[in-house]
Amino acid sequence: MIDYDGEALDYDASRGGEPRAQATVEALERLLPRGRCTVLDIACGTGIVTRRLLRPDRTVLGVDRSQGMLRLAARRVPGGVVQGDASGLPVASSSVDAVVIVWLLHLLLDPVPYARRLVAGLLGSTDR
């Protein structure tokens, strides 16, 4: 497993930096709800994508378990990140309108069932 606390300062550059973050958000925007909504960014890392998801009518909350990553994310999204683990999120069921998981699922052995359970628990349905 990667030492995300130790990797935090170099993490963005190792994942394509600002251009890849912008491309990621452009792809996500087509899938996110329009109008007033709350988006949860699970495993938000340094907040490089989380920051770009912010809109005047959109609340974005980033969650990550790495303190090193969260220190950087807190600079990008002041007041918008919390420490937590994807297996026990600090968010109430049905309290968000959308969930994004950008750079986590590839680390899981079987991500589809996990993602379905996670999203159903947070959104109350996998149909949204």
Side-chain angles (χ1 to χ4, degrees), residues 63-77:
V63 177
D64 204 282
R65 72 181 185 181
S66 164
Q67 281 294 329
M69 294 289 197
L70 285 173
R71 275 192 291 280
L72 296 174
R75 293 181 202 153
R76 289 179 164 146
V77 189

Side-chain angles (χ1 to χ4, degrees), residues 7 10 17 25-26 51 58 77 91 94 98 103 118-119 123:
E7 289 278 324
D10 299 318
V25 169
E26 288 170 8
R51 174 188 65 204
R58 181 186 296 155
V77 189
V91 178
S94 301
W103 285 302
L118 181 69
V119 171
L123 302 177

Side-chain angles (χ1 to χ4, degrees), residues 104-128:
L104 170 68
L105 294 179
H106 68 283
L107 299 174
L108 304 177
L109 293 176
D110 194 6
V112 174
Y114 169 79
R116 284 190 177 136
R117 283 191 312 275
L118 181 69
V119 171
L122 289 169
L123 302 177
S125 166
T126 57
D127 297 332
R128 291 205 239 171

Side-chain angles (χ1 to χ4, degrees), residues 26-72:
E26 288 170 8
L28 289 172
E29 283 295 343
R30 294 191 298 265
L31 303 171
L32 293 173
R34 301 284 176 236
R36 188 159 302 284
C37 65
T38 300
V39 175
L40 179 65
D41 183 2
I42 297 173
C44 69
T46 67
I48 193 170
V49 170
T50 315
R51 174 188 65 204
R52 286 178 166 75
L53 292 172
L54 291 169
R55 301 284 177 273
D57 58 350
R58 181 186 296 155
T59 300
V60 181
L61 177 64
V63 177
D64 204 282
R65 72 181 185 181
S66 164
Q67 281 294 329
M69 294 289 197
L70 285 173
R71 275 192 291 280
L72 296 174

